[in-house]
Amino acid sequence: MASLVANRFRARLLALRSERGWSQEFAAEKCGLGYKTYQHLEIGVRDNPTLRTIEKLAKGFGVTISELFNSVG
């Protein structure tokens, strides 16, 4: 189950970034994260982000935390 949630979260990050035409570097900057931290979240090296990181991601992408975790298509 945790793997499914992690996979959907990675897919959601990629979708949000792609919708905006952002590079990983730009997404990291907008979210207030280091590039490697963002990259590791999106590719699955890190699959257990802290609440603070989740808040930064939501704010950076301009979505609520709930919207950040919505399923992808």
Side-chain angles (χ1 to χ4, degrees):
M1 172 103 170
S3 173
L4 178 61
V5 171
N7 287 340
R8 286 185 178 183
F9 182 68
R10 286 193 299 273
R12 182 68 172 145
L13 287 180
L14 176 60
L16 287 168
R17 184 174 63 79
S18 296
E19 287 168 7
R20 288 157 176 77
W22 295 353
S23 66
Q24 286 183 335
E25 293 92 340
F26 188 76
E29 183 179 321
K30 289 287 285 183
C31 295
L33 300 171
Y35 166 64
K36 284 293 185 187
T37 298
Y38 180 85
Q39 182 184 46
H40 287 174
L41 288 167
E42 190 175 296
I43 65 174
V45 173
R46 282 187 63 200
D47 61 2
N48 193 17
T50 65
L51 178 57
R52 182 68 187 129
T53 298
I54 292 168
E55 289 171 337
K56 287 181 174 185
L57 288 165
K59 184 176 180 181
F61 282 112
V63 298
T64 65
I65 291 174
S66 178
E67 291 168 329
L68 184 63
F69 284 94
N70 283 343
S71 296
V72 178

